Amino acid sequence: MSEIESAKLIYKILQGLNHIHNVSVVHRDLKPENLIVSDEGNPKIIDFGLSKDTITSTRMLKSFVGSKLYMAPEILEGIGHTHTCDMWSVGIILFLTLSGAYPFNLKNLDQEIKSAPIFFPDGMWSSISQLCKSFILSLLERDHIKRLTSSQALKHPWFKILDNPNNF
């Protein structure tokens, strides 16, 4: 998928996430299999079976849930998680849409998710903008407190590659 097509898709996913996060819901299992894309290219987030309403909870969520390939480090480590775990999943999805690969070695997945650096190999990433790479790194920030929220992500400068993100 091209960078512009990926930006359109991710922007729309972020709009959906921003809505559910604003009503205190965390999806916790965001992955391509839980996205349906219409003929017009509009993604819909589905399968809220593992989602959690956090409006009544003042604590961080501690359940070990989700699909490991898209699972945020804080879930793997059991230290508690918030809505930013969904943002980690968006980073994995974006990396995958642009490269066709995961950012981690699947043989040692737990350790890779927890601590391996994110690389953008020259061959497949040479045509991808630095802003996009920076955006991915801000979504794949291992410190969930520093990771972008959905509302922050929607304002990221990378989306300026789109004429007007709200018009598509």
Side-chain angles (χ1 to χ4, degrees), residues 48-105:
F48 284 79
L50 297 178
S51 67
K52 183 76 173 169
D53 177 353
T54 60
I55 201 159
T56 58
S57 175
T58 56
R59 301 170 309 184
M60 294 182 76
L61 303 170
K62 297 252 181 162
S63 307
F64 188 85
V65 296
S67 301
K68 196 175 277 190
L69 284 170
Y70 303 90
M71 191 178 286
E74 61 270 22
I75 296 175
L76 278 175
E77 294 170 354
I79 61 172
H81 57 278
T82 65
H83 60 282
T84 60
C85 70
D86 289 338
M87 302 309 294
W88 175 274
S89 302
V90 171
I92 301 293
I93 292 168
L94 178 54
F95 194 101
L96 187 59
T97 64
L98 291 168
S99 68
Y102 293 99
F104 307 115
N105 180 337

Side-chain angles (χ1 to χ4, degrees), residues 15-36:
Q15 287 177 315
L17 282 177
N18 194 49
H19 173 75
I20 68 169
H21 292 169
N22 283 338
V23 294
S24 301
V25 172
V26 182
H27 190 279
R28 303 193 309 170
D29 196 25
L30 194 64
K31 57 187 175 183
E33 296 86 350
N34 287 340
L35 298 169
I36 294 177

Side-chain angles (χ1 to χ4, degrees), residues 11 14-15 18 87 131 135 148-160 165-166:
Y11 192 85
L14 287 170
Q15 287 177 315
N18 194 49
M87 302 309 294
L131 268 178
F135 182 58
L148 291 180
T149 65
S150 53
S151 61
Q152 291 169 332
L154 284 166
K155 297 173 187 164
H156 193 277
W158 178 56
F159 290 113
K160 290 181 181 175
N166 293 313

